[in-house]
Amino acid sequence: MLIRRIGPDLENAPARVAERGSVLGVPMHLLASTPSTNDEAKHAAKDGAPSGSTWVAEQQTAGRGRQGREWVSPRGENLLFSVLVRVTCPPSRLPPIALVAGLAVRDAVAIAAPEAAVMLKWPNDVLVDGKKVAGVLVEAITSGSRVQAVVIGVGINVHTRDFPDDIAERATSIALVSRAPPDRAVVLADALALLDRDLHVVVGRGLGLLRTRMDAADALRGRRVRSDTGDEGMAAGIDDDGRLL
Ligand code: BTN
C-alpha cells in the first residue's frame, strides 16, 4: 500500500512560489507532521535559517492559535504554514505586521473564493459570513528591545467540510464557500506572494498605504464591540499603529 506523506497538490507548492518570484516561501520545507510549524521556524531561526524560509505541514500535533488556544486541523486537508522573516524593527511594528499578514491571507482566500465576501476581523481573523476560514499567529524573535525576526504562522481551512461540534457554528473553509475546488499550492503561493509585497510596505512605511484595502476588508467597522476590559463601543476602523478604534 502506498502511504502518501505529503499530498501531491502540496508538492507543487515550491513550483507555484517560483512562478510568482516570491522571496517568501524559499526555501520551503514540506513536513508530514510536526508539533507546530511556528516552532519549526523559531528553532530554525536560531540555527541561522534564511529570511523567507517556510515550513508547511500536513499535520500538527500541538498547533497553536492566538491567546493560548489550540489550532486543530485534520491531517492533509488544509494549509498549516509558518514563514520566517528577518526584519529588524521596534516591537510597536508587530501589530501592523500581524494585520498585514491577515490582509494578505484574506486576499489569497478571496482569490480562491471569488464569490464569497471575505473579511478581516481585527486583529487578523479571516471570515466568510461571520465564520472563521483562516487565522494568523505572529511570534517575534527579539534581542534586547528590538525585534530581529518574525514568524508568521497561518492556518487556512481549505478542504475541511465537517468541523468538530464545538466549532462547527463558527468555522468554514474555502471548499464550503467556493464553487471551484481549491488548490492548496495556489492558495499558499498567493498568500506568500501577497505577504511578500505588503510586508515590505508596512515595515518601511507603516499601515497608511494599505488603508483603503484595510478599510474595505474590515469586518468590525460600524459594529458594536466589547474589549477584554469590558469597555463597549462602535468599531470605527484601525489606526496606523494597528489599534482598533
Ligand atoms: C488564530 O486564529 O488563533 C491563529 C491560528 C494560527 C494557526 C497556525 S497553523 C500554522 C502555525 N503553527 C501553529 O502552531 N499555529 C499557526
Side-chain angles (χ1 to χ4, degrees), residues 99 103 106 118-122 127 211-223 235-239 243-245:
L99 266 165
L103 191 62
R106 187 224 82 96
V118 190
M119 305 297 282
L120 182 64
K121 180 176 165 226
W122 183 89
L127 308 180
R211 163 88 22 234
T212 310
R213 279 170 59 209
M214 196 79 83
D215 286 351
D218 188 349
L220 290 180
R221 182 177 270 267
R223 304 187 69 147
I238 295 160
D239 73 12
R243 286 180 297 230
L244 184 67
L245 297 168

Side-chain angles (χ1 to χ4, degrees), residues 34-39 55 57 60 62-73 79-82 124-126 132 134-139 151-156:
T34 180
S36 157
T37 55
N38 266 36
D39 289 343
W55 290 261
Q60 293 184 132
R64 295 194 292 282
R66 286 188 304 107
Q67 298 175 326
R69 287 190 286 258
E70 252 188 315
W71 186 265
V72 181
S73 174
L79 277 170
L80 307 164
F81 65 96
S82 301
N124 48 27
D125 286 349
V126 180
K132 185 154 165 173
V136 178
L137 173 67
V138 175
E139 296 181 309
V151 170
I152 300 172
V154 180
I156 305 178

Side-chain angles (χ1 to χ4, degrees), residues 22-47:
S22 167
V23 171
L24 304 186
V26 183
M28 183 178 289
H29 307 274
L30 296 173
L31 309 170
S33 181
T34 180
S36 157
T37 55
N38 266 36
D39 289 343
E40 293 280 351
K42 283 160 80 177
H43 293 144
K46 290 203 182 80
D47 295 339

